[in-house]
Amino acid sequence: MSWCKVFVISVIALSACATVQTTRPGVVGVGREQTMLASAAAVNRQAEGAYRQTLKQAQAKGRLNPDAEELAQVRAIAARLIAATGAFRPDAPGWRWEVNVLEGDEVNAWCMPGGKIAVYTGLLDKVQPTDDELAAVIGHEIAHALREHGREKSGQAMGVGVAAAIGGVLLGSTLGIDPGLGQSVLGKAGDLAFMRPNSREMEQEADRIGVELAARAGYDPHAAISLWEKMRRVSDGAPPQWLSTHPSHETRIADLKVHADRVDPLYRPGMPRR
């Protein structure tokens, strides 16, 4: 393939990039602009498909929403948090949100792009969070969806794939190496990339937005600090899966305290604020 065609491929790939501000900064002031390569619609479709498959597998094993009382607790807390998301994104309260509990030993919870939430019984049973602490968990995960961190990660993976494809073409044209080796990466690069670990920057953004969501939903934002202490004890000092890429304990606690104090004027116990 000629250099001209390689250049065209590069231009097409880069032209799909868009720098966006996914959320309003809120009281916590999260204002980083993000570069997106993947479309929101495509990532959300992929996430919904993965979510459906996860629920199907859990149901087949009798592990979907095993305890009605726990499910009601999780859904009630999530509903209040979701109602508060409009402070960051006017469109978010209207998303097709879903909230389910999955039976499993993992001390884990997540929210896929588009608002597909799962909380594991391992977190509920081992940590035994209060409602305020559970709001901190779910608020953090919802924040990832609001910031479209999954879409951002998918775009980063796609960018790596494009680079690999172009590299394959260049190697093929100059060294006689099969360009398909690079191009094959392109089709796989973004595959479920939204489930890859978040960066520390993304985790910090989710922490900060999470405490504001909690405060606006009528939950004590300082519960995020006691939650972290519990999570740390449960995991014997090592971050569990849910927190595997978070900042160090001391850094995180200090940052949470600063931003929980900042949003405290929003907090009215039991009184959601939109």
Side-chain angles (χ1 to χ4, degrees), residues 155-167 182-190:
Q156 291 166 354
M158 288 173 65
V160 171
V162 169
I166 294 171
Q183 291 173 323
S184 66
V185 178
L186 182 58
K188 299 176 182 178

Side-chain angles (χ1 to χ4, degrees), residues 69-109:
E69 186 174 343
E70 284 185 340
L71 176 63
Q73 177 195 22
V74 170
R75 285 183 171 172
I77 292 170
R80 284 169 55 175
L81 291 165
I82 290 166
T85 58
F88 290 95
R89 291 186 62 140
D91 63 319
W95 288 2
R96 295 170 56 186
W97 294 91
E98 290 189 53
V99 184
N100 287 283
V101 175
L102 304 179
E103 184 177 354
D105 291 335
E106 305 98 309
V107 179
N108 198 16

Side-chain angles (χ1 to χ4, degrees), residues 242-261:
W242 178 63
L243 300 168
S244 60
T245 57
H246 280 225
S248 69
H249 172 69
E250 293 78 12
T251 299
R252 185 165 187 267
I253 288 294
D255 192 71
L256 281 170
K257 188 177 187 310
V258 167
H259 289 86
D261 287 347

Side-chain angles (χ1 to χ4, degrees), residues 4-5 12 17 21 26-27 44 78 108 125 128 142 144 159 162-164 184 211 225 228 231 246 272:
C4 181
K5 290 183 179 179
I12 291 173
C17 295
Q21 182 66 52
V27 173
N44 289 352
N108 198 16
D125 298 340
Q128 297 187 343
I142 286 175
H144 281 306
V162 169
S184 66
V211 295
I225 298 169
W228 168 245
M231 296 285 273
H246 280 225

Side-chain angles (χ1 to χ4, degrees), residues 82-168:
I82 290 166
T85 58
F88 290 95
R89 291 186 62 140
D91 63 319
W95 288 2
R96 295 170 56 186
W97 294 91
E98 290 189 53
V99 184
N100 287 283
V101 175
L102 304 179
E103 184 177 354
D105 291 335
E106 305 98 309
V107 179
N108 198 16
W110 40 261
C111 180
M112 286 185 176
K116 309 305 183 190
I117 299 171
V119 176
Y120 286 78
T121 56
L123 187 151
L124 301 174
D125 298 340
K126 295 177 183 179
V127 178
Q128 297 187 343
T130 64
D131 282 3
D132 291 310
E133 291 168 343
L134 189 52
V137 175
I138 299 173
H140 174 100
E141 297 305 324
I142 286 175
H144 281 306
L146 296 179
R147 288 290 290 164
E148 296 190 60
H149 286 152
R151 179 184 171 200
E152 190 174 10
K153 288 184 293 180
S154 293
Q156 291 166 354
M158 288 173 65
V160 171
V162 169
I166 294 171

Side-chain angles (χ1 to χ4, degrees), residues 13 22 42 47 58 92 109 126 158 164 174 184 197 199 207 218 233 235 238 264:
T22 54
K126 295 177 183 179
M158 288 173 65
T174 58
S184 66
S199 69
D207 276 348
R233 289 195 294 270
S235 58
D264 198 60

Side-chain angles (χ1 to χ4, degrees), residues 6-88:
V6 170
F7 176 75
V8 170
I9 291 173
S10 303
V11 170
I12 291 173
L14 293 174
S15 67
C17 295
T19 301
V20 299
Q21 182 66 52
T22 54
T23 58
R24 294 170 176 169
V27 173
V28 292
V30 173
R32 177 178 65 92
E33 290 189 339
Q34 299 155 276
T35 299
M36 301 294 189
L37 181 59
S39 75
V43 171
N44 289 352
R45 281 196 303 271
Q46 190 180 37
E48 180 156 4
Y51 192 69
R52 294 279 161 258
Q53 185 64 23
T54 299
L55 297 186
K56 182 178 179 180
Q57 291 173 352
Q59 188 169 35
K61 297 176 181 178
R63 295 180 178 177
L64 178 62
N65 300 324
D67 185 298
E69 186 174 343
E70 284 185 340
L71 176 63
Q73 177 195 22
V74 170
R75 285 183 171 172
I77 292 170
R80 284 169 55 175
L81 291 165
I82 290 166
T85 58
F88 290 95

